[in-house]
Amino acid sequence: QVQLVESGGGLVQAGGSLRLSCAASGRTFSNYHIAWFRQAPGKERESVASIRRTGYITSYADSVKGRFTISRDNAKNTVYLQMNSLKPEDTAVYYCGAALYYSGSLLPPDGVDYWGKGTLVTVSS
């Protein structure tokens, strides 16, 4: 089992920044690929950014490329999502997910082994 806890969400004006954190406990964190997802009201959960277990390979959805940065600190069992130049359309509940294996660039929601409970990000115009 891996327990994931997200934090760092909140209300921010358009153009602002937030940094989300995903703290893990349980099984060896460094064995897992980690990704951030988001789900806006009435929409399906979508992949935002993924980072491989070593931290050297990252992938991003086109909608956030150049604005969001995913990183991980395996010594602290934590993954971060730095979000800059936020837009109202970034408003959603953001979740982190962990997977032992996946292929391709972005980890898809149906490939996640463990989920956190999410943190709400609201971007006002």
Side-chain angles (χ1 to χ4, degrees):
Q1 281 276 14
V2 174
Q3 293 78 41
L4 303 172
V5 179
E6 303 93 337
S7 61
L11 174 63
V12 64
Q13 287 189 331
S17 298
L18 281 175
R19 188 176 82 155
L20 305 184
S21 298
C22 172
S25 60
R27 292 183 179 267
T28 305
F29 175 72
S30 59
N31 288 344
Y32 288 83
H33 310 297
I34 306 292
W36 285 96
F37 304 83
R38 67 186 181 188
Q39 188 166 18
K43 295 188 176 182
E44 293 186 353
R45 193 169 298 188
E46 62 175 354
S47 304
V48 173
S50 301
I51 188 164
R52 292 284 181 171
R53 57 174 63 98
T54 62
Y56 294 128
I57 299 175
T58 58
S59 300
Y60 298 91
D62 288 344
S63 58
V64 306
K65 276 182 185 175
R67 301 188 297 123
F68 290 11
T69 303
I70 188 171
S71 61
R72 68 189 294 164
D73 185 338
N74 285 343
K76 294 183 178 179
N77 287 2
T78 303
V79 171
Y80 305 97
L81 185 69
Q82 178 67 44
M83 306 187 295
N84 298 328
S85 302
L86 282 162
K87 304 176 181 180
E89 51 264 43
D90 294 318
T91 295
V93 177
Y94 282 72
Y95 301 87
C96 63
L100 268 180
Y101 306 104
Y102 81 99
S103 60
S105 53
L106 279 172
L107 172 61
D110 61 5
V112 170
D113 297 321
Y114 302 102
W115 287 103
K117 293 186 177 181
T119 185
L120 176 63
V121 172
T122 303
V123 184
S124 64
S125 57

